[in-house]
Amino acid sequence: FFFSSRRRHTRLQGDWSSDVCSSDLATTTTDAPTFCGVAEVYATEVLDALENETNSSALDSPMNTRAFWTRYKELHTQLRDMAPAEIAADAGLAYESAMAAYDYMESYGFSMMKASKDPSFAEDSRFTGPKYLKAASSFQAYIDKNCKIQLTK
């Protein structure tokens, strides 16, 4: 916020509320994020990370960072919270699976190399269990049908 250089008189000592003129406040209009908008950001960021994963050494991979997994968690939370009623249950299960992946990666210091050496990761039913796979498939089908995400890669 920027304050006007003109001093306005106030009744109370320390009352700064009237010292800010409405014209001093920036007025920006930003659209609230939509479910499809968040899905597009998620798809773009995850696909970029996967592409970089194959084009970089294991140590330089963006998927070996807390920042990547924190963003992953944040986007999954938004997708769950914004999911339309018809896929809310699937979004909830996809969220549970994503949080399990986050917790798993956190336990390995966000090292994909360390995590991939643990056979229990691939066998974890929160990633491979039928109900999670079905939910992920339904969730993805809804996004594919309704969001019209255009990826350039």
Side-chain angles (χ1 to χ4, degrees):
F1 294 104
F2 294 97
F3 296 97
S4 172
S5 60
R6 297 180 305 264
R7 174 80 169 111
R8 292 171 188 78
H9 298 286
T10 59
R11 284 186 178 173
L12 301 173
Q13 182 74 16
D15 176 13
W16 292 93
S17 62
S18 61
D19 287 350
V20 179
C21 177
S22 61
S23 64
D24 294 335
L25 302 175
T27 56
T28 58
T29 56
T30 56
D31 295 330
T34 63
F35 175 80
C36 288
V38 174
E40 185 169 9
V41 169
Y42 175 81
T44 302
E45 290 182 13
V46 170
L47 289 177
D48 282 349
L50 289 172
E51 183 176 295
N52 289 333
E53 173 81 8
T54 59
N55 294 331
S56 62
S57 73
L59 295 176
D60 294 333
S61 169
M63 295 182 75
N64 283 328
T65 65
R66 179 180 296 274
F68 170 81
W69 288 98
T70 299
R71 183 71 170 144
Y72 174 85
K73 184 177 179 178
E74 173 190 317
L75 290 169
H76 263 286
T77 300
Q78 289 178 357
L79 288 169
R80 178 205 57 196
D81 294 348
M82 299 172 96
E86 64 210 76
I87 58 162
D90 292 329
L93 288 172
Y95 171 81
E96 286 178 27
S97 185
M99 294 310 100
Y102 178 89
D103 291 344
Y104 199 91
M105 291 306 297
E106 186 176 44
S107 72
Y108 280 97
F110 299 99
S111 169
M112 190 66 86
M113 193 163 38
K114 289 179 186 175
S116 66
K117 291 180 181 177
D118 183 350
S120 66
F121 181 73
E123 297 167 3
D124 192 317
S125 66
R126 296 173 296 179
F127 312 119
T128 60
K131 78 175 184 178
Y132 290 105
L133 295 176
K134 182 177 181 287
S137 177
S138 298
F139 190 64
Q140 187 62 52
Y142 178 90
I143 291 171
D144 291 345
K145 179 181 177 187
N146 296 288
C147 293
K148 312 295 186 239
I149 295 172
Q150 298 294 320
L151 298 175
T152 58
K153 296 180 181 182

PDB file of all heavy atoms in Angstrom, residues 127-144:
ATOM      1  N   PHE A 127      -0.829 -45.852  -3.438  1.00  0.00           N
ATOM      2  CA  PHE A 127      -0.465 -45.459  -4.802  1.00  0.00           C
ATOM      3  C   PHE A 127      -0.963 -46.477  -5.815  1.00  0.00           C
ATOM      4  O   PHE A 127      -1.295 -46.119  -6.939  1.00  0.00           O
ATOM      5  CB  PHE A 127       1.057 -45.333  -4.957  1.00  0.00           C
ATOM      6  CG  PHE A 127       1.704 -44.544  -3.859  1.00  0.00           C
ATOM      7  CD1 PHE A 127       2.644 -45.131  -3.046  1.00  0.00           C
ATOM      8  CD2 PHE A 127       1.370 -43.222  -3.625  1.00  0.00           C
ATOM      9  CE1 PHE A 127       3.249 -44.418  -2.034  1.00  0.00           C
ATOM     10  CE2 PHE A 127       1.964 -42.507  -2.608  1.00  0.00           C
ATOM     11  CZ  PHE A 127       2.905 -43.096  -1.812  1.00  0.00           C
ATOM     12  N   THR A 128      -0.985 -47.734  -5.427  1.00  0.00           N
ATOM     13  CA  THR A 128      -1.313 -48.795  -6.374  1.00  0.00           C
ATOM     14  C   THR A 128      -2.613 -49.519  -6.061  1.00  0.00           C
ATOM     15  O   THR A 128      -3.027 -50.370  -6.836  1.00  0.00           O
ATOM     16  CB  THR A 128      -0.177 -49.842  -6.409  1.00  0.00           C
ATOM     17  OG1 THR A 128      -0.028 -50.400  -5.101  1.00  0.00           O
ATOM     18  CG2 THR A 128       1.124 -49.210  -6.852  1.00  0.00           C
ATOM     19  N   GLY A 129      -3.245 -49.196  -4.954  1.00  0.00           N
ATOM     20  CA  GLY A 129      -4.497 -49.862  -4.582  1.00  0.00           C
ATOM     21  C   GLY A 129      -5.601 -49.568  -5.579  1.00  0.00           C
ATOM     22  O   GLY A 129      -5.658 -48.485  -6.165  1.00  0.00           O
ATOM     23  N   PRO A 130      -6.487 -50.532  -5.794  1.00  0.00           N
ATOM     24  CA  PRO A 130      -7.536 -50.385  -6.813  1.00  0.00           C
ATOM     25  C   PRO A 130      -8.408 -49.142  -6.622  1.00  0.00           C
ATOM     26  O   PRO A 130      -8.731 -48.458  -7.597  1.00  0.00           O
ATOM     27  CB  PRO A 130      -8.373 -51.654  -6.687  1.00  0.00           C
ATOM     28  CG  PRO A 130      -7.586 -52.590  -5.852  1.00  0.00           C
ATOM     29  CD  PRO A 130      -6.544 -51.814  -5.126  1.00  0.00           C
ATOM     30  N   LYS A 131      -8.773 -48.822  -5.386  1.00  0.00           N
ATOM     31  CA  LYS A 131      -9.655 -47.663  -5.215  1.00  0.00           C
ATOM     32  C   LYS A 131      -8.940 -46.360  -5.571  1.00  0.00           C
ATOM     33  O   LYS A 131      -9.541 -45.437  -6.111  1.00  0.00           O
ATOM     34  CB  LYS A 131     -10.257 -47.612  -3.820  1.00  0.00           C
ATOM     35  CG  LYS A 131      -9.373 -47.105  -2.719  1.00  0.00           C
ATOM     36  CD  LYS A 131     -10.142 -46.990  -1.403  1.00  0.00           C
ATOM     37  CE  LYS A 131      -9.271 -46.379  -0.319  1.00  0.00           C
ATOM     38  NZ  LYS A 131      -9.984 -46.221   0.929  1.00  0.00           N
ATOM     39  N   TYR A 132      -7.647 -46.284  -5.309  1.00  0.00           N
ATOM     40  CA  TYR A 132      -6.895 -45.068  -5.639  1.00  0.00           C
ATOM     41  C   TYR A 132      -6.659 -44.970  -7.144  1.00  0.00           C
ATOM     42  O   TYR A 132      -6.749 -43.894  -7.722  1.00  0.00           O
ATOM     43  CB  TYR A 132      -5.572 -45.013  -4.877  1.00  0.00           C
ATOM     44  CG  TYR A 132      -5.788 -44.783  -3.408  1.00  0.00           C
ATOM     45  CD1 TYR A 132      -5.645 -45.816  -2.506  1.00  0.00           C
ATOM     46  CD2 TYR A 132      -6.173 -43.532  -2.931  1.00  0.00           C
ATOM     47  CE1 TYR A 132      -5.864 -45.614  -1.151  1.00  0.00           C
ATOM     48  CE2 TYR A 132      -6.392 -43.315  -1.584  1.00  0.00           C
ATOM     49  CZ  TYR A 132      -6.242 -44.360  -0.688  1.00  0.00           C
ATOM     50  OH  TYR A 132      -6.474 -44.154   0.639  1.00  0.00           O
ATOM     51  N   LEU A 133      -6.356 -46.084  -7.776  1.00  0.00           N
ATOM     52  CA  LEU A 133      -6.160 -46.083  -9.220  1.00  0.00           C
ATOM     53  C   LEU A 133      -7.456 -45.735  -9.956  1.00  0.00           C
ATOM     54  O   LEU A 133      -7.447 -44.977 -10.930  1.00  0.00           O
ATOM     55  CB  LEU A 133      -5.613 -47.429  -9.695  1.00  0.00           C
ATOM     56  CG  LEU A 133      -4.200 -47.779  -9.185  1.00  0.00           C
ATOM     57  CD1 LEU A 133      -3.808 -49.179  -9.629  1.00  0.00           C
ATOM     58  CD2 LEU A 133      -3.184 -46.757  -9.674  1.00  0.00           C
ATOM     59  N   LYS A 134      -8.571 -46.271  -9.482  1.00  0.00           N
ATOM     60  CA  LYS A 134      -9.881 -45.960 -10.082  1.00  0.00           C
ATOM     61  C   LYS A 134     -10.208 -44.484  -9.891  1.00  0.00           C
ATOM     62  O   LYS A 134     -10.659 -43.807 -10.823  1.00  0.00           O
ATOM     63  CB  LYS A 134     -10.971 -46.825  -9.453  1.00  0.00           C
ATOM     64  CG  LYS A 134     -12.344 -46.616 -10.051  1.00  0.00           C
ATOM     65  CD  LYS A 134     -13.357 -47.561  -9.409  1.00  0.00           C
ATOM     66  CE  LYS A 134     -14.733 -47.393  -9.984  1.00  0.00           C
ATOM     67  NZ  LYS A 134     -15.407 -46.186  -9.579  1.00  0.00           N
ATOM     68  N   ALA A 135      -9.974 -43.958  -8.698  1.00  0.00           N
ATOM     69  CA  ALA A 135     -10.250 -42.543  -8.434  1.00  0.00           C
ATOM     70  C   ALA A 135      -9.371 -41.654  -9.301  1.00  0.00           C
ATOM     71  O   ALA A 135      -9.849 -40.671  -9.885  1.00  0.00           O
ATOM     72  CB  ALA A 135     -10.028 -42.229  -6.961  1.00  0.00           C
ATOM     73  N   ALA A 136      -8.098 -41.999  -9.412  1.00  0.00           N
ATOM     74  CA  ALA A 136      -7.179 -41.203 -10.230  1.00  0.00           C
ATOM     75  C   ALA A 136      -7.618 -41.207 -11.690  1.00  0.00           C
ATOM     76  O   ALA A 136      -7.584 -40.176 -12.370  1.00  0.00           O
ATOM     77  CB  ALA A 136      -5.753 -41.736 -10.101  1.00  0.00           C
ATOM     78  N   SER A 137      -8.074 -42.352 -12.161  1.00  0.00           N
ATOM     79  CA  SER A 137      -8.531 -42.465 -13.545  1.00  0.00           C
ATOM     80  C   SER A 137      -9.792 -41.615 -13.767  1.00  0.00           C
ATOM     81  O   SER A 137      -9.893 -40.892 -14.762  1.00  0.00           O
ATOM     82  CB  SER A 137      -8.806 -43.931 -13.868  1.00  0.00           C
ATOM     83  OG  SER A 137      -9.300 -44.063 -15.160  1.00  0.00           O
ATOM     84  N   SER A 138     -10.744 -41.680 -12.858  1.00  0.00           N
ATOM     85  CA  SER A 138     -11.976 -40.892 -12.977  1.00  0.00           C
ATOM     86  C   SER A 138     -11.688 -39.401 -12.886  1.00  0.00           C
ATOM     87  O   SER A 138     -12.251 -38.590 -13.620  1.00  0.00           O
ATOM     88  CB  SER A 138     -12.963 -41.275 -11.876  1.00  0.00           C
ATOM     89  OG  SER A 138     -13.337 -42.617 -11.996  1.00  0.00           O
ATOM     90  N   PHE A 139     -10.810 -39.045 -11.963  1.00  0.00           N
ATOM     91  CA  PHE A 139     -10.414 -37.657 -11.765  1.00  0.00           C
ATOM     92  C   PHE A 139      -9.769 -37.114 -13.046  1.00  0.00           C
ATOM     93  O   PHE A 139     -10.114 -36.037 -13.525  1.00  0.00           O
ATOM     94  CB  PHE A 139      -9.441 -37.618 -10.579  1.00  0.00           C
ATOM     95  CG  PHE A 139      -9.106 -36.254 -10.063  1.00  0.00           C
ATOM     96  CD1 PHE A 139     -10.079 -35.445  -9.509  1.00  0.00           C
ATOM     97  CD2 PHE A 139      -7.802 -35.795 -10.095  1.00  0.00           C
ATOM     98  CE1 PHE A 139      -9.771 -34.197  -9.003  1.00  0.00           C
ATOM     99  CE2 PHE A 139      -7.477 -34.541  -9.586  1.00  0.00           C
ATOM    100  CZ  PHE A 139      -8.472 -33.743  -9.050  1.00  0.00           C
ATOM    101  N   GLN A 140      -8.859 -37.893 -13.617  1.00  0.00           N
ATOM    102  CA  GLN A 140      -8.179 -37.476 -14.849  1.00  0.00           C
ATOM    103  C   GLN A 140      -9.159 -37.398 -16.016  1.00  0.00           C
ATOM    104  O   GLN A 140      -9.083 -36.479 -16.844  1.00  0.00           O
ATOM    105  CB  GLN A 140      -7.029 -38.424 -15.182  1.00  0.00           C
ATOM    106  CG  GLN A 140      -6.189 -37.954 -16.346  1.00  0.00           C
ATOM    107  CD  GLN A 140      -5.520 -36.620 -16.073  1.00  0.00           C
ATOM    108  OE1 GLN A 140      -4.866 -36.453 -15.058  1.00  0.00           O
ATOM    109  NE2 GLN A 140      -5.679 -35.664 -16.972  1.00  0.00           N
ATOM    110  N   ALA A 141     -10.091 -38.340 -16.096  1.00  0.00           N
ATOM    111  CA  ALA A 141     -11.078 -38.330 -17.186  1.00  0.00           C
ATOM    112  C   ALA A 141     -11.941 -37.069 -17.117  1.00  0.00           C
ATOM    113  O   ALA A 141     -12.249 -36.466 -18.150  1.00  0.00           O
ATOM    114  CB  ALA A 141     -11.946 -39.582 -17.118  1.00  0.00           C
ATOM    115  N   TYR A 142     -12.322 -36.674 -15.913  1.00  0.00           N
ATOM    116  CA  TYR A 142     -13.113 -35.452 -15.760  1.00  0.00           C
ATOM    117  C   TYR A 142     -12.313 -34.244 -16.254  1.00  0.00           C
ATOM    118  O   TYR A 142     -12.828 -33.399 -16.986  1.00  0.00           O
ATOM    119  CB  TYR A 142     -13.524 -35.242 -14.297  1.00  0.00           C
ATOM    120  CG  TYR A 142     -14.290 -33.955 -14.112  1.00  0.00           C
ATOM    121  CD1 TYR A 142     -15.679 -33.935 -14.237  1.00  0.00           C
ATOM    122  CD2 TYR A 142     -13.638 -32.758 -13.866  1.00  0.00           C
ATOM    123  CE1 TYR A 142     -16.384 -32.750 -14.105  1.00  0.00           C
ATOM    124  CE2 TYR A 142     -14.334 -31.568 -13.742  1.00  0.00           C
ATOM    125  CZ  TYR A 142     -15.708 -31.566 -13.854  1.00  0.00           C
ATOM    126  OH  TYR A 142     -16.410 -30.382 -13.736  1.00  0.00           O
ATOM    127  N   ILE A 143     -11.058 -34.157 -15.862  1.00  0.00           N
ATOM    128  CA  ILE A 143     -10.208 -33.041 -16.281  1.00  0.00           C
ATOM    129  C   ILE A 143     -10.040 -33.041 -17.790  1.00  0.00           C
ATOM    130  O   ILE A 143     -10.180 -32.006 -18.446  1.00  0.00           O
ATOM    131  CB  ILE A 143      -8.845 -33.098 -15.553  1.00  0.00           C
ATOM    132  CG1 ILE A 143      -9.043 -32.783 -14.065  1.00  0.00           C
ATOM    133  CG2 ILE A 143      -7.846 -32.138 -16.179  1.00  0.00           C
ATOM    134  CD1 ILE A 143      -7.817 -33.022 -13.208  1.00  0.00           C
ATOM    135  N   ASP A 144      -9.773 -34.204 -18.365  1.00  0.00           N
ATOM    136  CA  ASP A 144      -9.598 -34.304 -19.814  1.00  0.00           C
ATOM    137  C   ASP A 144     -10.852 -33.844 -20.563  1.00  0.00           C
ATOM    138  O   ASP A 144     -10.761 -33.173 -21.586  1.00  0.00           O
ATOM    139  CB  ASP A 144      -9.247 -35.726 -20.230  1.00  0.00           C
ATOM    140  CG  ASP A 144      -7.856 -36.158 -19.776  1.00  0.00           C
ATOM    141  OD1 ASP A 144      -7.041 -35.282 -19.391  1.00  0.00           O
ATOM    142  OD2 ASP A 144      -7.593 -37.370 -19.787  1.00  0.00           O
TER     143      ASP A 144
END
